[in-house]
Amino acid sequence: MEVSAVEGLMQDYELSLQHVLWRIERLHQKKEVVTKWDDGVHRTTYGEMVPRINRLAGALKRIGVKPGDRVATLAWNNDRHLELYYAVPCMGAVLHTLNLRLFPQHLEFIINDAEDKVLFVDQSILPLLKPLLGKIPSIKTMVLMAEGPAPALDGFPEMEDYETLLAAESDDYPWPKISERMAAAMCYTSGTTGNPKGVVYSHRSQFIHTMGVLQGDNLGVTENDAILPVVPMFHANSWGLPYAIGMAGAKVVFAGRFSADPKSIVELSEQEDVTFLAGVPTVWIGLANYLKESGKRLPKVSTVVCGGSAVPQALMETMDSLGLRILHAWGMTETSPLGSVARVYGGHTPEEALRLRLTQGRVAPGVEIRITDPATGEELPWDGVAFGEIQVRGPWIARGYHNGYDPDKLTEDGWFRTGDVARIDADGYIQIVDRTKDVIKSGGEWISSVELENAVMAHPKIMEAAVIGLPHPKWDERPVVYAVVRPEFKGQVTEEEVREFLKGKVAKWWLPDEVRFIDEVPKTSVGKFDKKVLRAGATPIKEGVTQEARK
Ligand code: AMP
């Protein structure tokens, strides 16, 4: 049917991050920005930051940064990094946050692929640069994110120091007119398969995503919050928090390079009245252990956002018992990253509510989701049984990668293929079964490595467990568990005990062929289980084990 072509009469207001900067300047002057640096906790306010953001933009212009140029950061969560989050996109350039936990060859690939022009680097990270000597020719200027003379690094462009750069500029910067389609920021995927790929966020996508993060049904960030993003500022845009805090006017607390240390997180949370934490499950496993050992509690924290990997039931229950409420969220670098959030409303029994909080939740308002059969591409029903690949579309979902890699990630009808396999129930709750590449194919049937991991991690003596499928002559693949025993039970858990524990909790043919005890599950640069490393080092499955377990 022909649609009438009468135009709406509303303003064509460009959705840009300059609006967030405007709010900070006009409304949130007094709100605090706190950072733990090596020499103690530094305190500033948005009001004090605004002239510095202007100066930073002036400095970027002076050193030759033009609209569209990529400005890279290699930095922890801190106040200077936040200034870059605003100055770079608002002056028309593209903020490229580099993951400082990557191997040098990955960093080299990423910097060259993005053709970064300027590199801002924290002092403590300088040693990481050594292996990149002579290999990142696009970088014309390096800036040390510190005060005082920067050390000369042989073979690199001369380094300026951040504070001297800012000192030479004015408190006012004539911000240019930004079009909402312009690139604002860039983040590479973690590259668990093949090379990392650059996701390029636009001002428009960041603006709308920020509004999404603020919604009560999503992360629900408000002006009353004091937010400690444990999630690094280089991981998927720090889950949108650097702009959400500015838009809402929330206080922000950065743990700097102490983000992985539960004691620092607890101390900062206590001192700064933190209400909101965000990070991956491994961080909360460490925090829960520390709280149990120290007897400390964080009664002011009302939300602990947990995403990046599935939340194990044992972790959710432990955190509940410590008074910390996990809000489970799913997303990916390509989805800015907010995709879905597991909020549960009234009318459920406690058991049902727990089950729903453990799902990946319901898709965020603004994003559409479907699951499709990997073989036929057909859409599957939301019946809580059928599972297939999650595909999403919406204003903050990627439509492609920098330099055109992997064009097949977008379906012909414009949906983004996530590579995650899930069921969706009739109410829209998503249950991720696995990544397409991690799902174990045994005798023609699928075993969910994630569900098996969760079942093993429910064992009271086991702290962490990762499951991979290893080749098997008869069944194609069989599951093998890599488990880390809690320190107090070291040497006291047997393979048989774990298998006995699993009986009745998972299908018989899901029972692992082997349980291998290790000291630590290898982690990726953003703290997820690194199954690629486990697979690479895995010895073949022993002959003749657990015959009864097989289908
Ligand atoms: P990244 O782009 O590094 O954030 O990785 C995104 C991937 O992490 C997703 O495609 C999922 O496989 C996984 N992931 C993120 N959040 C969750 C979650 N809540 N549950 C299960 N997997 C998750």
Side-chain angles (χ1 to χ4, degrees):
M1 197 180 63
E2 235 352 68
V3 178
S4 138
V6 177
E7 280 199 9
L9 289 175
M10 306 315 277
Q11 299 184 359
D12 273 332
Y13 177 81
E14 298 289 330
L15 306 181
S16 98
L17 293 172
Q18 287 178 346
H19 173 79
V20 191
L21 186 54
W22 181 88
R23 280 188 73 82
I24 286 180
E25 186 172 4
R26 293 308 177 95
L27 296 153
H28 308 315
Q29 290 264 340
K30 294 188 194 126
K31 290 302 164 63
E32 282 183 300
V33 176
V34 178
T35 304
K36 182 172 162 111
W37 287 93
D38 285 8
D39 61 351
V41 170
H42 288 211
R43 203 170 288 280
T44 182
T45 60
Y46 289 143
E48 286 165 354
M49 261 177 60
V50 170
R52 289 173 56 82
I53 292 171
N54 279 261
R55 285 168 175 270
L56 179 54
L60 289 168
K61 186 164 183 198
R62 174 160 51 87
I63 60 181
V65 173
K66 305 249 171 347
D69 281 348
R70 266 76 73 199
V71 174
T73 60
L74 201 51
W76 300 105
N77 291 6
N78 61 49
D79 43 8
R80 292 190 180 106
H81 209 167
L82 188 65
E83 290 167 353
L84 282 153
Y85 253 80
Y86 284 90
V88 175
C90 290
M91 60 92 63
V94 183
L95 179 78
H96 177 194
T97 47
L98 292 165
N99 180 339
L100 54 85
R101 300 215 180 87
L102 288 180
F103 291 120
Q105 65 270 29
H106 269 155
L107 276 178
E108 178 191 335
F109 171 84
I110 289 173
I111 293 172
N112 286 323
D113 191 63
E115 296 173 85
D116 295 328
K117 192 163 176 183
V118 182
L119 176 60
F120 283 77
V121 57
D122 269 350
Q123 181 121 32
S124 60
I125 299 166
L126 277 179
L128 258 186
L129 288 179
K130 290 241 162 74
L132 301 180
L133 181 67
K135 295 179 176 163
I136 45 175
S138 63
I139 303 281
K140 301 293 180 251
T141 310
M142 302 224 313
V143 182
L144 185 72
M145 290 164 74
E147 189 162 11
L153 278 184
D154 280 349
F156 282 111
E158 202 175 316
M159 209 173 333
E160 316 251 6
D161 90 78
Y162 193 94
E163 296 302 329
T164 308
L165 263 189
L166 263 59
E169 298 299 323
S170 138
D171 281 353
D172 285 315
Y173 183 78
W175 298 106
K177 199 167 164 21
I178 296 275
S179 133
E180 64 178 23
R181 311 267 161 190
M182 275 167 63
M186 183 166 195
C187 214
Y188 275 70
T189 60
S190 41
T192 41
T193 46
N195 270 331
K197 293 176 292 237
V199 179
V200 185
Y201 307 115
S202 64
H203 277 267
R204 177 188 149 84
S205 74
Q206 295 280 38
F207 184 105
I208 306 175
H209 182 258
T210 304
M211 302 291 269
V213 171
L214 299 194
Q215 285 179 335
D217 280 347
N218 284 346
L219 300 192
V221 170
T222 73
E223 189 166 6
N224 278 328
D225 282 310
I227 299 194
L228 197 164
V230 180
V231 50
M233 288 171 95
F234 56 75
H235 181 204
N237 228 346
S238 206
W239 300 356
L241 293 171
Y243 300 128
I245 51 149
M247 193 76 116
K251 171 177 173 176
V252 62
V253 182
F254 292 125
R257 68 184 183 85
F258 305 96
S259 294
D261 168 31
K263 186 162 176 272
S264 297
I265 302 296
V266 169
E267 278 172 7
L268 270 174
S269 301
E270 283 174 330
Q271 284 157 19
E272 302 300 330
D273 293 335
V274 166
T275 59
F276 186 110
L277 296 162
V280 293
T282 44
V283 167
W284 308 133
I285 292 175
L287 184 96
N289 283 341
Y290 176 76
L291 289 174
K292 278 199 269 181
E293 279 161 20
S294 64
K296 290 183 182 235
R297 295 296 178 265
L298 296 172
K300 295 210 169 122
V301 173
S302 53
T303 305
V304 180
V305 178
C306 186
S309 329
V311 178
Q313 180 165 346
L315 173 64
M316 177 98 64
E317 287 174 330
T318 307
M319 292 285 273
D320 278 350
S321 74
L322 294 165
L324 289 172
R325 196 167 169 87
I326 282 188
L327 177 62
H328 189 190
W330 164 83
M332 54 201 305
T333 307
E334 293 91 328
T335 65
S336 292
L338 186 65
S340 66
V341 178
R343 290 205 181 259
V344 180
Y345 296 95
H348 298 289
T349 61
E351 294 74 32
E352 184 63 3
L354 177 67
R355 190 189 68 74
L356 292 173
R357 286 172 63 212
L358 285 164
T359 69
Q360 279 69 22
R362 294 197 290 180
V363 72
V367 182
E368 288 177 28
I369 192 165
R370 69 183 185 190
I371 43 174
T372 62
D373 185 318
T376 64
E378 265 174 41
E379 192 170 347
L380 296 168
W382 291 13
D383 59 6
V385 179
F387 54 90
E389 186 188 38
I390 299 181
Q391 299 183 350
V392 282
R393 67 176 180 192
W396 63 74
I397 309 296
R399 67 177 155 88
Y401 293 104
H402 183 61
N403 285 333
Y405 296 124
D406 219 353
D408 292 345
K409 282 297 259 189
L410 208 65
T411 63
E412 277 174 8
D413 56 348
W415 292 71
F416 182 81
R417 296 181 218 265
T418 64
D420 284 330
V421 178
R423 309 181 185 100
I424 304 184
D425 74 12
D427 293 325
Y429 282 91
I430 304 158
Q431 178 78 64
I432 292 198
V433 175
D434 228 324
R435 291 286 294 164
T436 35
K437 61 182 175 16
D438 290 336
V439 81
I440 299 160
K441 288 143 205 124
S442 173
E445 301 274 1
W446 280 11
I447 297 175
S448 159
S449 68
V450 175
E451 284 176 21
L452 197 46
E453 278 159 13
N454 270 329
V456 179
M457 281 191 276
H459 190 293
K461 294 181 187 165
I462 288 180
M463 191 157 77
E464 285 181 342
V467 174
I468 56 171
L470 287 180
H472 189 276
K474 180 156 180 211
W475 303 107
D476 193 12
E477 277 182 343
R478 289 293 305 156
V480 170
V481 174
Y482 286 80
V484 180
V485 175
R486 291 190 178 280
E488 61 273 33
F489 299 112
K490 261 242 151 85
Q492 297 174 30
V493 189
T494 63
E495 203 176 334
E496 218 27 64
E497 181 180 341
V498 174
R499 222 179 273 117
E500 274 306 311
F501 176 79
L502 290 173
K503 280 188 187 159
K505 298 191 176 72
V506 297
K508 201 168 154 217
W509 56 279
W510 281 34
L511 291 176
D513 279 32
E514 280 184 58
V515 180
R516 299 177 178 176
F517 295 103
I518 51 176
D519 290 337
E520 200 186 338
V521 177
K523 311 273 174 8
T524 69
S525 58
V526 288
K528 304 182 193 190
F529 290 168
D530 197 340
K531 300 193 187 179
K532 196 173 47 169
V533 172
L534 282 179
R535 274 187 208 105
T539 49
I541 295 179
K542 277 187 238 131
E543 283 283 313
V545 286
T546 57
Q547 291 302 335
E548 40 124 19
R550 301 205 177 120
K551 205 179 152 206

